Amino acid sequence: MPALAVFVAFGVIPLAGVLFLSFTSWDGLGDIQLSGLTSWQAVLGDPGLLHALWVTLLVMAASWAVQTPASILIGVFLAGRQRYRALLAVLYFIPLLLSSAAIAIAYKALLDPNFGLGAGLHIGLLTQDWLGEPVLAFSVVIFAVSWQFIPFHSLIYQGGVRQIPRSMYEAAELDGAGRVRRFFSITLPQLKYTIITSSTLMVVGSLTFFDLIFVLTAGGPGDATRVLALDMYKRGFQANLMGPASAIAVILVLVGLALALLLRRLGGGDAGASQMEGA
Amino acid sequence: MESTTPSRRTFLSLSLGIPLGAALAACGTSGPTPAGGGGGAGGSGGSKATYWYLSVQPQEGVRARAVERFNKANPNGQITGTALQNDAYKTKIKTAIGAGQAPTIIWGWGGGTLRTYVQAGQVEDLTSWFDQNAAVKDRLFPSSFGAATIDGKIYAMPAETMQPIVLYYNKKIFDKVGVQPPESWGDIMALVPKFNAAGIAPFSLGGQSRWTNMMWLEFLFDRIGGPEVFQAVFDAKKDAWSHPAALEALTKLQDLVKADGFIKGFSSITADSNADQALLYTGKAAMMLHGGWTYGSMSTDGGDFVSGGHLGYMNFPPVEGGKGDPSNTVGNPGQYLSISSKATAEQKEIAKKFFATAVLNDEDVKEWAGTGAVPIVNGADSAFAGSKDADFLKFVYGVASNAKSFAQSWDQALSPTAAEVLLDNIAKLFQLSITPQQFVSNMNAVIGS
């Protein structure tokens, strides 16, 4: 029951508030006035929303595609028992401990075309207008996000790999299966639920990327990296349009729920079931 | 635009602590119950007036000392000052006012934001108070009252300093390339290939901040069509952006971008980090259009750049055939102090006394001049004597006092809603991703919003 109370107080009530606000017009200062569907019409009729949704989905897909293979490989590597791997795992975990804002500020400084790493070391290749070209800026965002979160997902995979019964590998070795074959035939299938868990975290988490992008590119250049969460902030707190911003917040919640459900479906109905040896 | 020395908007570095959750939570609060950010500075009850202001030094010190002096002189009517970081302040003051928890004295930039306060009935009408206290009003620059006046009524006390936008240049670079500062738009366009050929960017620009780009349009609109062109937008006249002068200005601006007038990568440089100023004083760029407030930070950070006399400055040159008076300027005509309408009568009295006796009194004027800025007081130039920055201060005073029109920065003059659309479109204009015609129709669509 306390859990339910907490959920209602911090989950349901704010959500209902946002839903209510999306049917009002409010500039954050004066009285809140019901305005029916005008906020929704303004948001849904704005090509900016489709663009932001598209960028959000692109960020989601690209960061998943970069992070998942890398995290699995690193996770499998770290699952070994050697001592140096434990040390590596600790070192490797550091990016996750930094705040996204700090990471963004560091990347911004390093990538500065005039005072950054490339200019400082006189390396022409690094002296790109990293955050000023739409494609480059988008790539930098994906890179920074991956750099930050791969350690976390590697950790999940490391745990997943360690759960795989050793007997399976021993049996495979007796049958003459090589490393690669063992990876694809045992490790990967056995990691199915770990992949689903990690992917759900990645996908739903990428909906809320805000601070990193806000600091790194502010949605620019133009609106090349303007994701939904940033769009919401800009409308709500910079343009004083709380109604449309709340509408976007509702959309974000719906998209997140839909994606989480979809991933659960993909994993089959038994994603919550136990995976003990022999199961 | 405020007078903070290092940058106008440090929002990138400051408002990082407002992630999605907080945003949602803030969306979810409604009505007059205290929301986040009320703090102990309630708007009602108690005999102490409250005052929130920005925290960047040296300005914060000047503000705090004004409060200290006032408190010493008025033991029965104290003011509690609270310093806040720039962007934290912007969010917090809005939340506080929305929640009925505003401080007695609301520090601000006037213009569009003040208008939203007025429309929400949150600030006192000071018109009659200024009529009764003509001496207070007459000391201040008349041009500073424009941004404090909404629909003919005065809702704020102009305070602190004026900050026109200045065309800065690096004298060393001009000597090296062997050219003279521009006297017209044609000169600017002629200088661009010369600097580019010498491997120096003609203009520094912190384009990611967007309002930096806006300063170019403010001047081009004024020089080509006069202040009436933007005034029509401000007055919400239908299709005001379609003025031929506007189209000409937008086209000229894109011509400058296409000619590589701005440093490579300008759209990823922020003004908040002062990287744009660094480009000027390290000689990577020859010129920079920027606020008067950058003078202070360039003298602190630029080594001997300012003290060695290498910094040149001038008003924006005329455009050939343009109608605007070349003495006009744009920028911050002042900063603004309003009184919360939710404060108690007692608190309001304290605030008014503060306005009348402490804001820009002789000591305060001296302190502001000491920060390298010009207080908005008639005859403030007499306080410059002996200052190491006297030349610059005199220049700024001259620009501001000779200007037939001192237009407020567009993003401050417009409502926050319209300003956000404006800044977005300006960024795209500089990216060459929209045409001047598209800019005009996008902006016409939000006139009056």
Side-chain angles (χ1 to χ4, degrees):
Chain A
M1 284 314 278
L4 184 69
V6 167
F7 178 65
V8 168
F10 296 103
V12 177
I13 292 177
L15 200 59
V18 169
L19 193 63
F20 167 73
L21 270 185
S22 73
F23 296 106
T24 65
S25 60
W26 187 39
D27 61 4
L29 289 177
D31 298 329
I32 300 174
Q33 278 163 346
L34 280 171
S35 62
L37 290 172
T38 48
S39 294
W40 282 93
Q41 278 164 349
V43 166
L44 296 176
D46 182 350
L49 176 84
L50 267 187
H51 175 81
L53 192 61
W54 170 240
V55 175
T56 308
L57 293 175
L58 268 184
V59 167
M60 189 185 290
S63 62
W64 182 85
V66 172
Q67 287 182 69
T68 303
S71 305
I72 293 179
L73 289 176
I74 296 171
V76 168
F77 169 74
L78 290 178
R81 303 280 172 182
Q82 294 89 334
R83 270 213 154 182
Y84 75 96
R85 295 196 194 193
L87 183 71
L88 269 185
V90 170
L91 286 178
Y92 192 65
F93 201 63
I94 289 175
L96 194 76
L97 304 177
L98 302 173
S99 90
S100 302
I103 291 173
I105 291 170
Y107 270 90
K108 205 172 162 56
L110 289 175
L111 296 174
D112 187 298
N114 298 295
F115 300 106
L117 202 59
L121 301 175
H122 302 288
I123 302 172
L125 189 69
L126 281 178
T127 325
Q128 307 283 338
D129 185 10
W130 289 107
L131 301 172
E133 301 287 339
V135 177
L136 283 180
F138 184 84
S139 314
V140 168
V141 167
I142 300 298
F143 185 85
V145 163
S146 305
W147 184 82
Q148 184 182 12
F149 287 112
I150 285 177
F152 174 68
H153 293 283
S154 303
L155 197 72
I156 296 182
Y157 283 114
Q158 181 193 21
V161 171
R162 285 191 175 164
Q163 293 293 314
I164 301 174
R166 298 214 64 81
S167 54
M168 295 178 101
Y169 289 102
E170 285 156 12
E173 243 170 299
L174 282 178
D175 290 344
R179 266 172 175 272
V180 178
R181 183 68 198 268
R182 289 201 303 263
F183 175 75
F184 282 105
S185 298
I186 300 174
T187 312
L188 216 49
Q190 289 290 315
L191 283 177
K192 182 182 170 192
Y193 298 115
T194 316
I195 293 175
I196 289 166
T197 306
S198 153
S199 299
T200 308
L201 288 173
M202 270 183 209
V203 163
V204 177
S206 68
L207 281 179
T208 59
F209 286 158
F210 168 78
D211 36 8
L212 184 114
I213 299 179
F214 187 49
V215 179
L216 202 56
T217 67
D223 45 18
T225 54
R226 184 162 170 157
V227 292
L228 270 182
L230 193 61
D231 201 48
M232 178 185 80
Y233 173 82
K234 288 197 165 199
R235 284 180 211 243
F237 292 96
Q238 288 186 352
N240 277 10
L241 295 168
M242 290 299 175
S246 303
I248 293 177
V250 173
I251 293 172
L252 264 174
V253 170
L254 293 179
V255 172
L257 278 177
L259 284 168
L261 285 175
L262 183 78
L263 279 161
R264 214 178 145 73
R265 263 290 156 79
L266 283 179
D270 59 344
S274 148
Q275 297 175 59
M276 294 309 288
E277 189 164 351
Chain B
M1 289 203 180
E2 64 268 28
S3 62
T4 54
T5 315
S7 64
R8 195 180 69 153
R9 287 181 176 175
T10 39
F11 62 83
L12 289 183
S13 54
L14 296 173
S15 60
L16 310 171
I18 312 163
L20 189 65
L24 288 171
C27 287
T29 57
S30 58
T33 44
S44 53
S47 61
K48 274 194 172 185
T50 50
Y51 172 26
W52 294 357
Y53 47 78
L54 293 195
S55 64
V56 177
Q57 295 288 7
Q59 287 88 343
E60 181 192 341
V62 181
R63 291 170 189 135
R65 285 192 290 278
V67 171
E68 262 169 45
R69 283 195 296 272
F70 178 81
N71 285 344
K72 210 171 273 174
N74 299 276
N76 299 323
Q78 300 271 300
I79 293 179
T80 315
T82 308
L84 292 141
Q85 296 274 29
N86 183 358
D87 206 49
Y89 175 76
K90 280 187 174 170
T91 308
K92 181 164 177 168
I93 190 81
K94 206 188 291 173
T95 317
I97 292 176
Q101 297 283 314
T104 315
I105 301 172
I106 302 168
W107 192 101
W109 296 269
T113 311
L114 181 62
R115 180 182 290 268
T116 62
Y117 296 164
V118 171
Q119 282 163 349
Q122 298 285 358
V123 287
E124 284 276 286
D125 178 357
L126 298 175
T127 319
S128 57
W129 183 79
F130 273 113
D131 286 343
Q132 290 151 22
N133 295 273
V136 178
K137 191 178 176 186
D138 293 343
R139 295 182 63 230
L140 306 178
F141 259 58
S143 63
S144 65
F145 277 88
T149 310
I150 310 287
D151 298 329
K153 291 180 180 158
I154 304 171
Y155 288 94
M157 162 105 180
E160 305 190 358
T161 61
M162 61 181 92
Q163 307 277 9
I165 309 296
V166 175
L167 181 57
Y168 296 101
Y169 58 94
N170 186 327
K171 287 183 183 168
K172 274 195 274 191
I173 298 297
F174 271 72
D175 289 345
K176 196 171 125 195
V177 180
V179 288
Q180 294 302 310
E183 281 166 18
S184 68
W185 182 255
D187 285 356
I188 287 182
M189 293 303 287
L191 282 172
V192 164
K194 288 180 189 159
F195 284 121
N196 278 329
I200 294 158
F203 285 99
S204 172
L205 181 65
Q208 196 186 86
S209 303
R210 305 184 301 176
W211 52 265
T212 41
N213 305 4
M214 179 185 67
M215 300 187 288
W216 280 89
L217 291 183
E218 287 168 356
F219 270 121
L220 280 171
F221 272 56
D222 179 274
R223 293 294 185 263
I224 294 171
E228 308 83 73
V229 183
F230 183 74
Q231 189 63 37
V233 173
F234 184 72
D235 295 339
K237 295 217 171 84
K238 199 173 178 301
D239 293 334
W241 290 96
S242 299
H243 196 286
L247 263 183
E248 191 189 335
L250 297 165
T251 311
K252 281 202 153 59
L253 189 273
Q254 287 204 327
D255 289 345
L256 182 61
V257 176
K258 286 175 194 160
D260 290 329
F262 298 105
I263 185 146
K264 188 170 165 260
F266 69 82
S267 55
S268 60
I269 298 172
T270 52
D272 312 290
S273 57
N274 292 349
D276 47 356
Q277 301 169 30
L279 287 167
L280 182 72
Y281 61 67
T282 55
K284 289 190 165 73
M287 296 175 271
M288 175 177 77
L289 189 64
H290 215 312
W293 57 87
T294 56
Y295 177 87
S297 38
M298 283 194 283
S299 40
T300 331
D301 303 335
D304 73 335
F305 181 61
V306 174
S307 56
H310 304 303
L311 174 70
Y313 37 81
M314 58 189 284
N315 199 352
F316 196 84
V319 175
E320 291 82 353
K323 277 199 298 193
D325 191 312
S327 73
N328 288 347
T329 190
V330 302
N332 281 345
Q335 287 77 47
Y336 296 90
L337 304 177
S338 302
I339 299 179
S340 166
S341 57
K342 301 284 188 287
T344 63
E346 207 179 353
Q347 288 174 322
K348 287 176 188 172
E349 272 319 301
I350 299 173
K352 284 173 182 167
K353 197 167 186 190
F354 180 68
F355 288 1
T357 61
V359 175
L360 291 179
N361 65 15
D362 290 344
E363 253 172 296
D364 204 31
V365 164
K366 246 178 255 161
E367 290 224 25
W368 281 113
T371 65
V374 179
I376 53 166
V377 173
N378 289 315
D381 47 345
S382 59
F384 304 158
S387 163
K388 63 179 171 36
D389 305 315
D391 287 345
F392 183 76
L393 291 170
K394 271 183 212 148
F395 162 77
V396 169
Y397 186 84
V399 166
S401 52
N402 293 329
K404 300 210 173 48
S405 151
F406 191 146
Q408 193 188 17
S409 290
W410 291 355
D411 59 343
Q412 299 301 334
L414 294 175
S415 75
T417 308
E420 186 57 27
V421 179
L422 173 74
L423 291 171
D424 257 358
N425 276 284
I426 288 177
K428 287 178 189 162
L429 186 84
F430 272 71
Q431 285 281 136
L432 305 178
S433 62
I434 53 171
T435 63
Q437 194 58 58
Q438 284 167 321
F439 179 93
V440 166
S441 48
N442 291 352
M443 290 314 300
N444 275 339
V446 295
I447 278 181
S449 68

